Amino acid sequence: MKTCLIVIDAQESFRQRAYWSESQATPYFAAQNALIEGCAAAGVPIVRVFHTDEPSDASNPFAVESGHVRPIGGLADFAAAATFTKHRHSALVNSGLDIWLTQNGIGRLIVSGIRTEQCCETTTRHASDLGWEVDYVTDATLTFDMVQPDGRPLSAADIKARTATVLQGRFATVCTVAQALERAVA
């Protein structure tokens, strides 16, 4: 089965947010870069997805006008097989990604990027519902600590564990970097 790595929203926009944490990003970069380098070495196509939204002015880090909608520093450089821009949580909504995947005979997606519980999880669920097999590499996703509606803290580690739990066996196969690379070339 032909596999494709999708790198979702790994863009400088996130460094402009108050919740950015370099200490949480460091292990993500190690895993994400190992996945990118492994896929590139194996000839697995790698797709880059950027997120943009309104307002369209320099003060919004997710607006093109800000200059932050570009690969995030620390990410391994790679030649993207294709680059898409999305405006919704799922990378498959009105971006053209679904058409490209179908035209290129892709049957399995490896999902990675920023944020674990938002765009990565949403894309995974959507892709599964559309019939793609999905490998979700939790270590190659990044999220940040949050505050629950009742005011209690929710750690990034707990968010990642929750996401892996709800995706595993329902929407995806939750994989390590090594497992995803092994499955990609099988």
Side-chain angles (χ1 to χ4, degrees):
M1 178 180 305
K2 192 170 179 184
T3 301
C4 175
L5 170 61
I6 302 177
V7 181
I8 300 171
D9 300 351
Q11 62 193 67
E12 277 298 323
S13 306
F14 285 100
R15 275 211 171 93
Q16 312 312 308
R17 294 296 198 199
Y19 54 72
W20 176 261
S21 167
E22 201 63 46
S23 65
Q24 289 175 328
T26 298
Y28 158 73
F29 283 127
Q32 181 71 85
N33 291 341
L35 191 56
I36 288 168
E37 291 162 2
C39 284
V44 173
I46 305 170
V47 168
R48 184 186 312 273
V49 178
F50 289 121
H51 183 88
T52 63
D53 63 28
E54 301 293 326
S56 297
D57 63 60
S59 67
N60 174 8
F62 288 90
V64 173
E65 293 80 0
S66 72
H68 299 299
V69 181
R70 58 185 163 84
I72 193 166
L75 187 69
D77 189 35
F78 63 92
T83 299
F84 298 92
T85 300
K86 66 181 185 60
H87 310 284
R88 299 283 187 242
H89 292 101
S90 173
L92 296 164
V93 174
N94 298 326
S95 67
L97 174 59
D98 56 338
I99 296 165
W100 185 90
L101 293 168
T102 301
Q103 289 174 340
N104 285 275
I106 305 296
R108 177 185 293 130
L109 310 179
I110 302 171
V111 172
S112 66
I114 305 174
R115 293 187 56 167
T116 305
E117 77 293 350
Q118 283 181 293
C119 298
C120 295
E121 180 178 340
T122 303
T123 299
T124 297
R125 288 172 180 260
H126 192 176
S128 174
D129 283 350
L130 291 176
W132 278 284
E133 188 172 321
V134 182
D135 289 350
Y136 189 89
V137 185
T138 306
D139 291 343
T141 69
L142 175 63
T143 197
F144 309 95
D145 297 340
M146 297 174 75
V147 176
Q148 298 180 69
D150 65 5
R152 290 181 298 140
L154 184 60
S155 73
D158 287 343
I159 294 167
K160 289 179 98 169
R162 173 251 168 231
T163 298
T165 300
V166 299
L167 292 179
Q168 175 59 39
R170 294 174 187 89
F171 300 97
T173 299
V174 175
C175 298
T176 63
V177 169
Q179 290 167 332
L181 291 172
E182 183 179 312
R183 288 169 53 86
V185 297

